[in-house]
Amino acid sequence: MIENFPKAYEPQSVDKKWYEIWQKNNIYSASTETDKPTYSILMPPPNVTGILHFGHVLNISLQDLYIRYKRMLGYEVCWFPGYDHAGIATHAKVEAELRDEGLTRYDIGREKFLERVWQWKEKYGGIILKQLRELGISCDWNRTLFTMDESASNAVQQVFIKLFDDGLIYKGKRIINWSPLSQTALSDEEVEFKEVKEHLYTIRYYFPDSNEYLKVATVRPETLFGDVAVAVNPKDERYKHLIGKTVIVPIVGREIKLIADDYADPTFGTGCVKITPAHDANDFEVGLRHNLEMPNTFNPDGTLNELTGEFNGMDRFVARKKILEKLKEKDLIEKIEDYTHNVGFSYRGKEAVEPYLSDQWFVKMKPLAEDALKVVMDGQVRFFPNHWVKTYEHWMTNIRDWCISRQLWWGHRIPVYYTEDGKYTAANSPDEARKKLGISNNEQLRQDEDVLDTWFSSWLWPLTTMNWLHDGKSENTKELEKFLPTDLLVTAPDIIFFWVARMIMATMKFKKEIPYKDVYFTSTIRDGLGRKLSKSLGNSPDPLNIIDKYGTDAVRFTSLYLSPLGQDVKMDVDVEHQDIPSMEIGRNFANKIWNAGRFILMKQEQVNGDSPATDKMINNNSFEFSLSDKWIISRFNSTIKNVNDALDNYRVNDYTKILYDFIWRDFCDWYVEIIKVQLNGSTDSSYNQSFIKFVIILYEGILKLLHPIMPFITEEIWHLLYEHPEVESISLQRMPETSESLIDLKLEEDFEFLQSIVEEIRKLRSLLNIPPQQKTKVTISAHNHFIYEMLNTDKILIETLAKCEAVKIEKNISKPDNSIGSVIRETEVFLLLDESIDLDKERKRLNKEIDRLKRNIDGSEKKLSNEKFVGNAPEEVVLYEREKLNSMKESLKKVIINLEGLM
């Protein structure tokens, strides 16, 4: 009923209402007991500490688009949701709370600390999942997994033990990336390098009892106390005679040897390199080759330790300044130069990472990387855009072992047990460890204190979401049978190594199967100045506020409308008002769709037609279709075809533009006006009822095509049109199918010509400032019989849409007196003038048109006189260019005649 269809679309109430109904009716629950083809997506688990940002909006909207689309194509779809325990980030949140209370985690102990973390998680964790619901996503919330859930934890433990037993997990003393802020190890992938401007200090290392010295260059004088040697290249003639001698470490006073090693670069600095094995990865390798000591002179918090004497307890960067003062005081600095180099920073904490010698657990990656590289290179796993394959190949070919231990308490505790004499093994329990170690049941064991890298649980996401090893034993589940491999992963390219590659490795290792068939890498969202959206820059408005202002569908649609595959997304941000004005695109589109639906329902009630029950009538000539009807049917079927092609090839940006152009221009701007003309021109109630049914069926098909990206407005209008019970949903209906026989490209081209005629008349009216209410007389001179017949058939349509008093269609006539004209593909349109018309403005317009045609004719003639173009271009291209030139020349003649008629 039209009284139930508000004049204005109010998304806030509509969105909330329908999401609650969908959840109440549990319509998005996936079944493993189905004969339907399956389609599945893994939701990248947001951090438990996360808050919704526009990266989530883009990522989640893409996933929901494909889930809804495939559901409407008849697939049994499953979108697996969940969230990540975010070891370092969550740990930091709770430690901050403790600091506010004047406590540290050590004050309350591990058990109490973990209780606090779980309490924090219950209170604040998962906010991000609630926020995701605001986007209207249709995942199966019943399957939500938290990476610290018992089922996931069981799988994590079994995988560690399996890899340990296979010799793929080992413990070793290595230089690792250390976060002084979080006081834990970081994997290589958790370090981002930035260019930093510092200084290169050339320091004097004196020979014992001598005034002679070596000049040794370093960027980090704070590591002097860890020096155990100075290395020179064995081929460096300057120092060959000094190899084996000793020098004194400045201000430290310790004698160290001069050694020969290829690592020393004769072209860098002085060619002499101080070797500090505990604080540099390359120095560590030199230390191993030469069996050097490896004193660690730093504390875990980034301060210097007791080995540094008076500098003990100083922050590393404060100590650098103090040590430099001491060196200057003792005249031990030869020179200081500006130096720019790359420094590693923590991916999460953003502080400079410290190379740190430590006992850590590692996964051997090369044995896992081989199969994971192969499935991408041979196309079993496809990347969109494809250029990421090269990045993946490079990383996998040069892969390094993965440091998986973290010096935290929150996370999956490493299942390794130690005897008092240092033996150890991985096991599910102390009793199992004793059996594996072959020791008595009375012997005491201690469990490793460290936890696993958060990514160690995330790399099992394709498996744990499907209940693999949920009880520590079951490797086969109905979910794995139905939904693995999944069909699509949507993720950001910056975690291609953290997550995408590792999931492929894990799933290939444990299931001999790929985790997903396609990976869609989302774009980076930037503001109008090209800057990445960021809270620190103030250019990242809260998506929930934007959704509240514009509506969920508008935000979803606009985000994808502005997101071409493989290119950055540009969104103009009003920083002052924390707004994104470009969201008007989606809001205006939603209003357009709403107004069209209300108009159609109003017309249905006017002709008193029954609501249609099926969508068969669009293929059934139960009444005589007009040329306009056949045109919109052809455009509708072309649109279905183009939509399917765009989505099948992940051209999501094209999908939004295809729908936008069809719905806004073809349907709303043109066909809605045609509906008015055809109903106003008919007194046949039977025809009117059949026609409005056809219109509603067509409009319903449009709503279905649009539903995957704009779920709320399409659901609301669908129910208003049909008055369905709320338990039914448009999202459970079948997507329209293309009927190739109804696509008539020639008809579409002809109708586009008719549209051009109408638009040209409108342009002429606008140019001469003819008010909308003033009707004009128009004469059209058709240049051939076909055009003459076609325009006569739709003369009433032209009169109505172009606001003409009368339209006269003639064949090849001369320009009427007192008229202005325009040329559309050799057909002339003449607007008959009266005393209210400004002829000076018309003369200026015609002169501009003459200049434009002359320029284009000149360009075309030059092209056709170019022997290379004529000889190399396809024959049809050359033919088209010649036809275009002839048409432009004919148009020029007619425009000149029109101008002369106004002189």
Side-chain angles (χ1 to χ4, degrees):
M1 300 290 286
I2 195 66
E3 56 263 31
N4 297 328
F5 206 127
K7 287 185 178 180
Y9 177 51
E10 298 176 354
Q12 290 74 18
S13 58
V14 169
D15 297 357
K16 188 174 188 300
K17 175 185 76 174
W18 281 114
Y19 204 75
E20 288 176 357
I21 291 170
W22 293 336
Q23 295 307 299
K24 180 181 70 175
N25 293 328
N26 201 29
I27 63 172
Y28 301 132
S29 178
S31 172
T32 56
E33 307 294 332
T34 179
D35 295 326
K36 292 195 290 186
T38 58
Y39 183 87
S40 57
I41 292 179
L42 299 168
M43 180 187 291
N47 288 344
V48 67
T49 58
I51 299 295
L52 191 71
H53 56 69
F54 269 97
H56 293 125
V57 173
L58 179 60
N59 186 301
I60 290 295
S61 296
L62 273 162
Q63 293 176 69
D64 195 45
L65 163 62
Y66 275 94
I67 283 292
R68 289 180 181 276
Y69 173 66
K70 292 292 183 176
R71 185 185 287 118
M72 295 178 74
L73 286 177
Y75 288 81
E76 184 69 33
V77 302
C78 189
W79 185 7
F80 293 91
Y83 54 126
D84 190 285
H85 65 278
I88 294 175
T90 310
H91 210 276
K93 292 275 187 188
V94 178
E95 285 198 293
E97 282 189 353
L98 289 173
R99 277 197 300 275
D100 290 343
E101 299 169 22
L103 298 170
T104 70
R105 59 171 155 148
Y106 302 103
D107 293 329
I108 63 174
R110 185 174 198 134
E111 187 176 337
K112 291 290 184 186
F113 178 79
L114 290 178
E115 285 179 13
R116 286 287 295 263
V117 178
W118 280 105
Q119 288 168 10
W120 184 93
K121 182 258 179 187
E122 292 306 314
K123 186 174 181 180
Y124 300 108
I127 287 175
I128 181 69
L129 295 187
K130 295 180 183 126
Q131 291 176 327
L132 291 179
R133 285 169 164 81
E134 298 289 326
L135 289 168
I137 64 177
S138 61
C139 59
D140 185 350
W141 288 113
N142 300 318
R143 297 179 180 276
T144 303
L145 181 72
F146 180 49
T147 50
M148 285 293 287
D149 283 348
E150 185 179 356
S151 63
S153 299
N154 287 337
V156 168
Q157 182 162 296
Q158 294 310 309
V159 165
F160 184 98
I161 294 168
K162 171 70 174 167
L163 293 176
F164 178 91
D165 291 344
D166 289 349
L168 292 175
I169 282 182
Y170 66 92
K171 189 175 188 180
K173 193 177 280 291
R174 295 283 188 279
I175 288 285
I176 48 90
N177 306 300
W178 183 262
S179 164
L181 186 64
S182 301
Q183 296 192 36
T184 184
L186 302 174
S187 68
D188 291 337
E189 294 73 43
E190 290 172 298
V191 177
E192 52 188 7
F193 285 89
K194 299 177 185 176
E195 197 173 80
V196 175
K197 292 180 179 179
E198 295 190 301
H199 294 97
L200 184 66
Y201 306 95
T202 301
I203 302 174
R204 297 167 179 167
Y205 283 60
Y206 279 90
F207 291 99
D209 304 319
S210 171
N211 291 326
E212 300 293 317
Y213 56 83
L214 280 179
K215 300 171 187 176
V216 180
T218 182
V219 182
R220 303 191 66 206
E222 66 271 21
T223 63
L224 282 173
F225 292 89
D227 288 3
V228 294
V230 172
V232 295
N233 193 287
K235 296 176 183 175
D236 194 333
E237 296 294 337
R238 295 173 294 175
Y239 304 113
K240 270 188 176 180
H241 65 290
L242 297 175
I243 294 171
K245 293 186 179 295
T246 61
V247 290
I248 298 171
V249 180
I251 73 172
V252 178
R254 183 172 64 248
E255 285 190 38
I256 57 176
K257 272 191 177 182
L258 195 68
I259 62 173
D261 195 279
D262 288 334
Y263 166 61
D265 181 359
T267 66
F268 179 77
T270 62
C272 300
V273 184
K274 72 189 204 68
I275 302 302
T276 316
H279 300 292
D280 183 273
N282 293 310
D283 292 5
F284 174 76
E285 297 298 330
V286 174
L288 289 178
R289 288 195 289 273
H290 295 269
N291 197 28
L292 301 174
E293 291 184 16
M294 300 186 180
N296 187 339
T297 61
F298 278 39
N299 293 312
D301 63 357
T303 59
L304 275 62
N305 68 17
E306 69 280 357
L307 296 180
T308 64
E310 64 186 278
F311 306 101
N312 182 19
M314 283 188 192
D315 175 80
R316 54 189 166 153
F317 297 115
V318 174
R320 179 184 294 182
K321 292 178 182 177
K322 295 293 184 184
I323 288 170
L324 285 170
E325 289 174 6
K326 193 92 170 180
L327 289 168
K328 287 176 184 176
E329 182 186 313
K330 293 181 175 293
D331 195 25
L332 292 171
I333 297 179
E334 181 78 10
K335 64 178 176 178
I336 301 174
E337 304 167 85
D338 290 339
Y339 183 61
T340 300
H341 65 139
N342 286 325
V343 174
F345 288 81
S346 168
Y347 179 75
R348 294 196 186 280
K350 306 303 179 187
E351 84 279 18
V353 165
E354 187 61 43
Y356 197 72
L357 184 64
S358 176
D359 283 323
Q360 301 291 338
W361 288 97
F362 296 85
V363 178
K364 292 180 182 176
M365 299 301 275
K366 281 197 179 294
L368 300 174
E370 186 176 337
D371 287 343
L373 176 58
K374 183 177 182 298
V375 295
V376 171
M377 299 311 295
D378 67 16
Q380 291 184 61
V381 177
R382 302 186 300 168
F383 286 177
F384 295 87
N386 183 256
H387 66 74
W388 287 108
V389 170
K390 280 289 180 190
T391 306
Y392 180 87
E393 180 186 18
H394 176 76
W395 186 74
M396 295 293 274
T397 304
N398 299 281
I399 198 165
R400 298 172 62 183
D401 288 353
W402 173 18
C403 176
I404 56 169
S405 45
R406 298 290 180 270
Q407 288 62 55
L408 306 171
W409 288 349
W410 172 243
H412 298 101
R413 191 169 177 181
I414 292 176
V416 169
Y417 296 87
Y418 299 84
T419 62
E420 289 182 358
D421 60 2
K423 294 176 185 175
Y424 59 85
T425 191
N428 288 293
S429 65
D431 286 343
E432 184 181 298
R434 291 186 185 98
K435 286 178 185 177
K436 290 177 76 171
L437 291 168
I439 60 177
S440 74
N441 292 336
N442 296 325
E443 187 160 346
Q444 291 296 309
L445 298 178
R446 65 174 180 85
Q447 187 175 351
D448 197 298
E449 292 291 325
D450 291 351
V451 299
L452 291 164
D453 178 9
T454 301
W455 296 102
F456 195 87
S457 53
S458 298
W459 81 323
L460 302 177
W461 196 242
L463 304 174
T464 51
T465 50
M466 300 191 199
N467 291 320
W468 181 70
L469 291 178
H470 65 280
D471 54 2
K473 300 172 186 175
S474 303
E475 297 201 33
N476 297 309
T477 67
K478 289 181 178 179
E479 286 79 8
L480 287 166
E481 182 184 337
K482 281 290 179 187
F483 296 114
L484 190 75
T486 60
D487 293 271
L488 175 64
L489 178 74
V490 179
T491 189
D494 57 356
I495 57 173
I496 188 172
F497 312 128
F498 285 125
W499 196 46
V500 177
R502 289 175 183 163
M503 281 193 289
I504 298 174
M505 287 187 248
T507 314
M508 289 297 296
K509 166 69 176 173
F510 296 110
K511 293 301 291 182
K512 309 300 180 192
E513 179 62 274
I514 57 173
Y516 25 73
K517 299 168 189 172
D518 295 335
V519 182
Y520 183 110
F521 291 107
T522 55
S523 308
T524 300
I525 304 177
R526 300 186 183 278
D527 65 13
L529 300 175
R531 304 175 302 174
K532 191 174 179 180
L533 297 198
S534 145
K535 285 186 179 177
S536 61
L537 292 175
N539 66 345
S540 183
D542 184 344
L544 295 180
N545 292 338
I546 302 299
I547 286 171
D548 188 56
K549 179 173 182 178
Y550 294 96
T552 303
D553 288 341
V555 171
R556 285 170 56 122
F557 182 85
T558 307
S559 297
L560 298 190
Y561 185 85
L562 299 174
S563 305
L565 178 64
Q567 298 178 36
D568 288 349
V569 181
K570 288 286 181 72
M571 287 186 182
D572 288 327
V573 178
D574 179 345
V575 174
E576 182 183 353
H577 299 100
Q578 286 296 286
D579 191 12
I580 302 182
S582 54
M583 290 299 164
E584 289 282 0
I585 295 170
R587 179 162 68 181
N588 293 343
F589 189 40
N591 289 336
K592 193 85 167 176
I593 295 158
W594 182 264
N595 292 338
R598 194 170 192 281
F599 165 78
I600 290 167
L601 185 58
M602 183 174 64
K603 287 298 177 185
Q604 175 193 294
E605 293 191 1
Q606 284 176 6
V607 299
N608 199 27
D610 296 325
S611 295
T614 71
D615 60 0
K616 301 297 183 189
M617 189 177 294
I618 202 165
N619 297 317
N620 178 12
N621 271 339
S622 59
F623 66 97
E624 187 67 31
F625 285 130
S626 68
L627 178 70
S628 301
D629 298 334
K630 292 174 182 175
W631 165 74
I632 198 66
I633 291 170
S634 180
R635 287 292 302 122
F636 177 63
N637 280 275
S638 292
T639 299
I640 298 170
K641 183 179 181 180
N642 294 336
V643 158
N644 291 339
D645 181 64
L647 291 181
D648 287 347
N649 292 284
Y650 298 106
R651 300 195 322 272
V652 176
N653 174 250
D654 287 354
Y655 157 79
T656 60
K657 285 180 166 55
I658 289 163
L659 283 180
Y660 185 89
D661 291 345
F662 170 69
I663 295 170
W664 190 292
R665 174 178 158 79
D666 293 341
F667 188 78
C668 294
D669 281 358
W670 286 93
Y671 195 65
V672 165
E673 295 304 314
I674 291 166
I675 293 169
K676 296 174 186 176
V677 173
Q678 294 188 180
L679 286 176
N680 291 341
S682 169
T683 57
D684 183 344
S685 61
S686 177
Y687 164 82
N688 290 347
Q689 287 182 8
S690 295
F691 175 63
I692 201 66
K693 283 183 181 180
F694 158 72
V695 169
I696 290 178
I697 291 164
L698 174 66
Y699 184 65
E700 181 190 22
I702 291 170
L703 293 177
K704 289 176 180 177
L705 288 177
L706 191 61
H707 177 76
I709 189 59
M710 301 183 83
F712 290 117
I713 191 171
T714 50
E715 185 79 276
E716 178 74 359
I717 295 174
W718 189 73
H719 278 80
L720 288 170
L721 286 177
Y722 288 88
E723 299 183 7
H724 289 299
E726 68 176 31
V727 71
E728 295 183 23
S729 171
I730 191 174
S731 63
L732 303 180
Q733 307 306 304
R734 287 303 293 259
M735 188 66 73
E737 295 180 11
T738 305
S739 180
E740 292 279 354
S741 64
L742 295 175
I743 296 177
D744 186 339
L745 297 180
K746 179 67 170 62
L747 172 61
E748 292 186 32
E749 184 181 338
D750 291 343
F751 200 87
E752 186 182 336
F753 175 69
L754 186 143
Q755 289 174 303
S756 299
I757 295 286
V758 172
E759 286 170 344
E760 193 61 29
I761 296 171
R762 288 172 175 171
K763 205 180 292 180
L764 291 171
R765 290 175 56 92
S766 173
L767 182 72
L768 300 173
N769 290 319
I770 298 174
Q773 67 273 16
Q774 182 178 332
K775 301 281 186 174
T776 54
K777 291 181 180 179
V778 169
T779 298
I780 299 174
S781 176
H783 68 282
N784 63 44
H785 183 72
F786 173 78
I787 296 295
Y788 173 79
E789 291 291 335
M790 185 185 77
L791 294 178
N792 263 303
T793 302
D794 276 305
K795 190 168 72 165
I796 295 174
L797 187 63
I798 297 171
E799 288 175 349
T800 305
L801 298 181
K803 300 189 184 303
C804 300
E805 181 182 336
V807 172
K808 196 181 199 180
I809 315 293
E810 303 282 1
K811 279 198 231 175
N812 294 315
I813 62 165
S814 299
K815 178 179 178 293
D817 292 337
N818 199 30
S819 68
I820 63 168
S822 188
V823 184
I824 307 293
R825 300 184 210 167
E826 297 182 62
T827 290
E828 293 178 279
V829 177
F830 301 108
L831 194 149
L832 306 183
L833 305 175
D834 59 29
E835 62 279 0
S836 66
I837 305 301
D838 186 341
L839 295 182
D840 282 340
K841 184 179 283 188
E842 173 57 12
R843 291 185 189 103
K844 288 178 183 176
R845 184 190 74 80
L846 291 174
N847 276 311
K848 281 185 180 178
E849 179 65 6
I850 289 169
D851 290 342
R852 185 188 72 82
L853 284 167
K854 283 180 176 177
R855 284 195 305 271
N856 291 345
I857 288 169
D858 183 57
S860 184
E861 286 177 336
K862 284 179 180 176
K863 187 181 283 188
L864 288 167
S865 65
N866 185 325
E867 292 180 3
K868 285 186 178 179
F869 170 74
V870 176
N872 297 328
E875 185 179 344
E876 63 270 18
V877 173
V878 177
L879 181 62
Y880 171 75
E881 191 64 34
R882 286 192 174 122
E883 289 175 348
K884 186 174 78 171
L885 176 60
N886 291 333
S887 179
M888 287 191 294
K889 285 181 175 179
E890 287 299 316
S891 294
L892 178 60
K893 286 179 189 175
K894 292 174 179 177
V895 173
I896 289 172
I897 291 170
N898 285 341
L899 178 61
E900 289 172 348
L902 296 179
M903 294 302 181

